[in-house]
Amino acid sequence: MRIALFATCVADAMFPGAPRATVRLLERLGHTVVFPESQACCGQMHVNTGYMDEALPVVRNHVQTFDPVLTGAWDAVVVPSGSCTGSIRHQQAMVARRAGDEDLATRAEAVSARTYELSELLVDVLGVTDVGAYFPHRVTYHPTCHSLRMLRVGDRPEALLRAVEGIDLVDLPQADGCCGFGGTFALKNAPTSSAMLDDKCDAVDSTAADVLVAGDRSCLLHIGGGLSRRGSATTTLHLAEVLASTREHPTPLSDAPRTRTRPVGGSR
């Protein structure tokens, strides 16, 4: 298959390991990955904050960039993010329709129908759960809110992780609880967000996992910061980074971003 990669803003700007791992993984499975250079934001930040008019040109750019998937130039679009996939699937056509651009709305719906979150693409489209990965570490998995509730990816990510050779996959207590990030929610409701983050970090620490894995780098940014500030030994990696790891080319834990190495005064 020829698969177009939508890297997402957060990954492109701060955590390029996730989209790079997505490419390595898909190429290892025998597929061709292309990167449309005109891609930018999906518009989720604008929509979630109420800036619908400002979201329109962002949505238009996204649809124009990935429109070749409708003409057969590519077979699918992959996104290493449940959050951004959710925006593409559930927000973009709404933004276009609100602006009275029915043609854009129709095209947005058509593009979104060929757009898949990584675990969806692997399990539903490519029909694989064992991707030949090797990752000999204790891992726990956080199902992010958008992937769990908006995309309903279910147990696809866990099925992929269970098939990884050498992994010690442990359940995360109260896994379906929100981490408290929610994009601008963490800024607008900081005390509530911090309390939710503490609960999530307590749950992660209770697993004694080496790595916390999720399908959204934005949520991992939030949780990873909380874990780092409290001096936790658990680090974070995107699902793609674990699935891309092999015996010959392992993903080292040192690849996981850490913002601090010691607890900050006043932090748990």
Side-chain angles (χ1 to χ4, degrees), residues 2 46 65 68 86 88 96 115 157 229 245 251-253 264:
R2 283 180 58 82
H46 306 70
T65 297
I88 293 165
T115 299
R229 287 190 294 274
S245 182
T251 297
L253 299 192
V264 177

Side-chain angles (χ1 to χ4, degrees), residues 10-126:
V10 170
D12 183 58
M14 301 178 66
F15 302 107
R20 287 173 179 169
T22 300
V23 174
R24 291 199 308 273
L25 170 62
L26 293 175
E27 289 183 342
R28 190 177 78 225
L29 293 174
H31 304 284
T32 300
V33 183
V34 297
F35 182 83
E37 294 188 3
S38 59
Q39 65 180 271
C41 181
C42 66
Q44 179 182 182
M45 293 183 293
H46 306 70
V47 175
N48 289 354
T49 316
Y51 289 93
M52 299 293 185
D53 293 340
E54 290 80 1
L56 183 61
V58 180
V59 169
R60 182 172 291 114
N61 177 75
H62 182 90
V63 173
Q64 289 175 346
T65 297
F66 290 95
D67 189 75
V69 76
L70 304 181
T71 63
W74 312 318
D75 300 298
V77 178
V78 65
V79 189
S81 165
S83 178
C84 295
T85 307
S87 178
I88 293 165
R89 199 170 292 171
H90 297 284
Q91 292 181 337
Q92 290 193 344
M94 177 269 293
V95 169
R97 222 162 248 126
R98 178 183 177 275
D101 193 335
E102 185 60 32
D103 177 67
L104 178 61
T106 300
R107 289 168 58 216
E109 288 172 338
V111 170
S112 73
R114 305 298 297 273
T115 299
Y116 303 92
E117 180 267 343
L118 178 60
S119 72
E120 291 180 325
L121 178 77
L122 292 169
V123 176
D124 296 346
V125 180
L126 303 183

Side-chain angles (χ1 to χ4, degrees), residues 154-179:
D155 65 353
R156 293 174 182 85
E158 290 101 319
L160 290 161
L161 289 170
R162 284 194 294 270
V164 173
E165 184 183 358
I167 199 169
D168 177 15
L169 184 63
V170 295
D171 291 337
L172 179 66
Q174 299 180 330
D176 61 353
C178 179
C179 71

